[in-house]
Amino acid sequence: MSLEIGFLIGVILVFVMMAFVLLRGKGAFLIAGYNTMSAAEKERYDEVALCKFMGKLMLSIAFSMLFILLDAIFEVGWGFIVGTISILVLSIGGVIYMSTGNRFEK
């Protein structure tokens, strides 16, 4: 197994483990920005809903990384492009979704 493949597998496993922690509604300290808020600011947000959304997003990104991993293993050529584009779309879409509509405020 090459170093690249081992690294990708490790990153995917870390993302999946963090996603399962977040899907349980725990691990808000893992969310950048939320962990730096004051206690008064955190009271305004539904922490469990935010964690669950971030868990789903992390799981989706981990699934997208599988395309990059398959490209590294089988050298299909299109896997890296599909994986990278889907990660970008999910990340940008997730940020837009979280930032609009006050979805996670109590």
Side-chain angles (χ1 to χ4, degrees):
M1 176 171 26
S2 73
L3 184 63
E4 176 187 6
I5 294 170
F7 178 75
L8 283 169
I9 291 171
V11 170
I12 291 170
L13 289 176
V14 168
F15 266 63
V16 169
M17 288 187 295
M18 288 176 25
F20 282 123
V21 169
L22 290 166
L23 284 170
R24 291 179 41 219
K26 309 287 184 190
F29 66 92
L30 295 170
I31 302 172
Y34 184 79
N35 62 1
T36 60
M37 289 181 181
S38 67
E41 288 177 308
K42 288 181 182 180
E43 284 294 319
R44 294 181 34 223
Y45 292 94
D46 183 357
E47 186 174 299
V48 173
L50 180 60
C51 286
K52 287 183 178 186
F53 173 76
M54 287 304 297
K56 292 173 189 173
L57 184 62
M58 294 281 293
L59 210 51
S60 301
I61 290 172
F63 178 76
S64 297
M65 284 188 225
L66 287 176
F67 288 107
I68 298 171
L69 178 64
L70 291 174
D71 187 54
I73 294 171
F74 299 114
E75 298 178 7
V76 291
W78 52 266
F80 181 79
I81 295 168
V82 170
T84 303
I85 290 172
S86 62
I87 289 170
L88 287 172
V89 168
L90 286 166
S91 299
I92 293 169
V95 168
I96 291 171
Y97 180 82
M98 287 188 313
S99 301
T100 58
N102 302 325
R103 299 179 200 288
F104 299 107
E105 288 189 15
K106 289 183 180 177

